[in-house]
Amino acid sequence: MGAIFQNSTDFILLGLVTQPLFSGLIFAVVFSIFVVAITANVVMILLIRVDSHLQTPMYFMLSQLSIMDTVFICITVPKMLQDLLSKEKAISFLGCAVQVFLYLTLVGGEFFLLGLMAYDRYVAVCNPLRYPLLMNRRICLFMVVGSWVGGSLDGFILTSVTMSFPYCGSRKINHFFCELPAVLKLSCIDTSLYETLMYSCCVVMLLIPISIISVSYTRILITVHRMNSADGRHKAFATCSSHIMVVSIFYGAAFYTNVIPSSYHTPEKDKVVSAFYTILTPMINPLIYSLRNKDVTAALRKVLGRCSSSQRIRA
């Protein structure tokens, strides 16, 4: 009962930087990134929904990625911006638990979704004639729901165990949000065994989608190498290049956070890497897919053209 009572008190988030001199500059930069990320992801979701040429499994999964990125950046950035402007940087125990759960759910969900998107590219390049059968709407929905369910199961298990530990010492979390390793450092009991199990779980979660991605792109490269048409090769690489870039960015940061042992981590490095994939990645993903994708840019021009035409008619 004592542990439960102590756990009911607030935590203190120390933030991305401890020097108050940089708070205004950091606020302006982070707020700008936040606005661009939300706008880009919402535009991507709306374009995929309204344009008939984007009603395909690949773009449906891309819309789910944009939804995940939108929720992902909303978990940490609003609280971070609030803390940059106020002296009170407290977060309730329940708020911290919710933040941990949503963060783990979305990270796990993106792990699985990016892996399944690689499988979608494999089917499109290597089995184009069977693509409508192998990637029908029912299978596509099953993949997306499986990604959300897999991420939420990971979030539920790790959050319930983590927040059940007694936190009877310092309440200051050396981070800008309630990231799991930073929270566990405040526990007044030894959590080394749990951290080992947690890292093992994260490694398994990474290995599953990485294996799917590796096998899929190996088969794609073999198929592309056998192609006689230069246009076919260019189209295949253009189809896969955006996904490869997103996978490299997201999995690179996730590998550092979830796989490299804690002895190699420092609070400063952890905060920089976390800021990269919780703030920058949700902005980068839709920009990569929109700037490097002719279908998306064509749909955007079409929508902008309709808006300008309607304004002229009204005028």
Side-chain angles (χ1 to χ4, degrees), residues 57 60-61 64 68 109 113 116 139-150:
F60 176 68
M61 287 192 283
Q64 296 300 308
M68 288 181 177
L113 186 63
L116 294 171
I139 293 175
C140 196
L141 283 172
F142 178 77
M143 288 180 172
V144 169
V145 172
S147 299
W148 282 100
V149 171

Side-chain angles (χ1 to χ4, degrees), residues 31-48:
F31 180 76
S32 301
I33 294 173
F34 178 72
V35 171
V36 172
I38 293 295
T39 304
N41 280 293
V42 170
V43 168
M44 181 71 74
I45 294 167
L46 294 176
L47 283 177
I48 293 171

Side-chain angles (χ1 to χ4, degrees), residues 176-224:
F176 61 91
F177 74 102
C178 290
E179 192 174 35
L180 217 58
V183 175
L184 286 173
K185 289 179 181 179
L186 304 184
S187 177
C188 47
I189 64 171
D190 184 19
T191 61
S192 56
L193 177 60
Y194 171 66
E195 290 184 48
T196 303
L197 294 173
M198 182 181 68
Y199 283 121
S200 302
C201 176
C202 292
V203 169
V204 171
M205 283 194 65
L206 277 170
L207 284 177
I208 293 173
I210 285 176
S211 300
I212 297 173
I213 292 169
S214 301
V215 173
S216 298
Y217 280 110
T218 300
R219 297 294 299 273
I220 288 172
L221 288 174
I222 294 172
T223 303
V224 170

Side-chain angles (χ1 to χ4, degrees), residues 114-135:
L114 289 172
L116 294 171
M117 289 173 73
Y119 172 77
D120 171 78
R121 294 299 82 209
Y122 155 72
V123 177
V125 174
C126 301
N127 296 284
L129 298 178
R130 299 182 64 194
Y131 185 80
L133 177 65
L134 296 176
M135 290 299 298

